[in-house]
Amino acid sequence: MQYEPTLDRAALIDFATQKYFANVDAKNMEATLDCFHDEALFCVQTAFTRHAGKGEIRRMFEDFFGAYETIIHRDFTCTVDEANGRIAACFTAELHDVDGNVTLLYNTNFWRLRPGADGPKFQEVYVYMSGANVLT
């Protein structure tokens, strides 16, 4: 099902990179979850994992935020389907754990946004990860 688009190209890129990833990197749980509809679907396609609804997505982020001292998403290349409220981004995820180990992943995310009473939010997120799944 398609939804009526409400964001232009620049706003879609800002939503994905600044509103979403900037809050993930800051480990700001409430602002991160605010990017999702209550019944959103978050799938890591390369690991066959699925998180349905904000409760499961919250638990996934709690584990992810707890596993890494520093989280950095950078070097975005975005492709936008403005007419349908969709965006894809290739990027580097740089993760530092408490022991100083660094994990580098080269990922691609696909997002579908849906309008809502309090603005557009992610309805679906599909993640393709270059290494082991860190979003369990």
Side-chain angles (χ1 to χ4, degrees), residues 3 25 54 60 71 82 93 117 125:
Y3 300 108
D25 292 355
K54 270 193 179 178
M60 176 197 73
I71 301 168
E82 185 177 333
V125 178

Side-chain angles (χ1 to χ4, degrees), residues 3-130:
Y3 300 108
E4 218 33 60
T6 57
L7 299 177
D8 65 14
R9 181 183 200 293
L12 284 163
I13 291 171
D14 184 71
F15 191 94
T17 62
Q18 299 307 307
K19 185 172 183 189
Y20 175 62
F21 275 128
N23 281 302
V24 170
D25 292 355
K27 298 184 182 182
N28 185 338
M29 180 65 76
E30 295 313 313
T32 298
L33 290 176
D34 190 48
C35 294
F36 293 87
H37 275 282
D38 289 341
E39 71 283 352
L41 181 64
F42 191 109
C43 300
V44 181
Q45 297 293 90
T46 48
F48 309 106
T49 60
R50 172 185 162 130
H51 307 283
K54 270 193 179 178
E56 290 184 21
I57 293 169
R58 174 186 289 278
R59 199 258 336 127
M60 176 197 73
F61 277 117
E62 285 171 348
D63 292 350
F64 181 56
F65 292 171
Y68 297 98
E69 188 75 18
T70 305
I71 301 168
I72 302 167
H73 292 88
R74 59 180 169 82
D75 303 331
F76 295 99
T77 300
C78 297
T79 303
V80 174
D81 178 358
E82 185 177 333
N84 294 300
R86 295 175 185 239
I87 180 171
C90 298
F91 57 91
T92 301
E94 181 180 329
L95 312 171
H96 299 253
D97 68 20
V98 294
D99 297 323
N101 299 310
V102 177
T103 300
L104 287 177
L105 298 167
Y106 305 97
N107 297 350
T108 301
N109 283 16
F110 296 86
W111 297 281
R112 181 169 72 133
L113 281 82
R114 182 179 83 157
D118 53 349
K121 298 181 183 239
F122 295 137
Q123 179 63 41
E124 297 171 10
V125 178
Y126 297 96
V127 179
Y128 290 79
M129 212 171 277
S130 68

